[in-house]
Amino acid sequence: QIGANMSTVYLGIDYGTVHIGVALAEHILATPLPTLTNNEHLIKNLMDIIESNQVSRIVVGLPSGRIEGEVRSFAKKLSDTTSLPVTLHDETLSSHDATRQLATIGVSRSKKKNEHSYSAALILEDYLESVKL
């Protein structure tokens, strides 16, 4: 059923070997969610977020370097598990940008543990800007 109020909900993911940053967006501004731990519960936790927020598209930040292959495998697994479209989006500078922006606005160290989710928000906003929704 398609109506005027049906909007696309995007899930942005900043994949890390220890922490997974996640953010949601319907338009151009993304909202960071609490950072997830990269463990055996990751896919289930992501599925909970996807179902409870009616996510219809996933954007995964793609780094260059040593974990690029791992991120590609993760994105494929996510696509196979969720049956949602998964887009890989270049994230080369997002973690650095997130850290710098948090420092600029004087965020406390305790909040910086969520920097992966801020990175996910930046990746998602950059993606949405690039496709001009």
Side-chain angles (χ1 to χ4, degrees):
Q1 166 184 352
I2 296 180
N5 63 350
M6 294 288 290
S7 62
T8 303
V9 178
Y10 294 84
L11 175 65
I13 298 176
D14 178 34
Y15 183 91
T17 54
V18 178
H19 299 287
I20 306 293
V22 286
L24 290 171
E26 283 186 63
H27 303 290
I28 200 74
L29 284 179
T31 303
L33 299 178
T35 300
L36 302 176
T37 301
N38 190 348
N39 60 22
E40 68 275 7
H41 305 294
L42 177 61
I43 296 293
K44 182 206 175 304
N45 292 338
L46 287 170
M47 291 300 290
D48 291 346
I49 291 170
I50 289 164
E51 289 167 16
S52 61
N53 294 283
Q54 300 176 326
V55 169
S56 48
R57 185 168 204 96
I58 301 169
V59 178
V60 177
L62 183 64
S64 56
R66 63 180 178 76
I67 70 165
E68 181 181 343
E70 189 176 334
V71 172
R72 288 183 184 277
S73 298
F74 167 75
K76 168 112 178 65
K77 181 177 182 182
L78 206 50
S79 175
D80 293 345
T81 306
T82 64
S83 302
L84 292 174
V86 176
T87 301
L88 290 166
H89 186 71
D90 179 33
E91 64 145 82
T92 309
L93 294 173
S94 63
S95 293
H96 174 75
D97 288 345
T99 305
R100 195 181 71 240
Q101 285 183 15
L102 292 174
T104 301
I105 59 173
V107 171
S108 69
R109 285 197 75 67
S110 64
K111 287 207 177 92
K112 282 189 185 169
K113 67 176 196 248
N114 259 342
E115 75 182 55
H116 290 282
S117 289
Y118 287 104
S119 292
L122 290 175
I123 290 164
L124 194 48
E125 288 173 0
D126 188 60
Y127 169 78
L128 293 171
E129 181 67 28
S130 74
V131 296
K132 288 280 194 261
L133 291 177

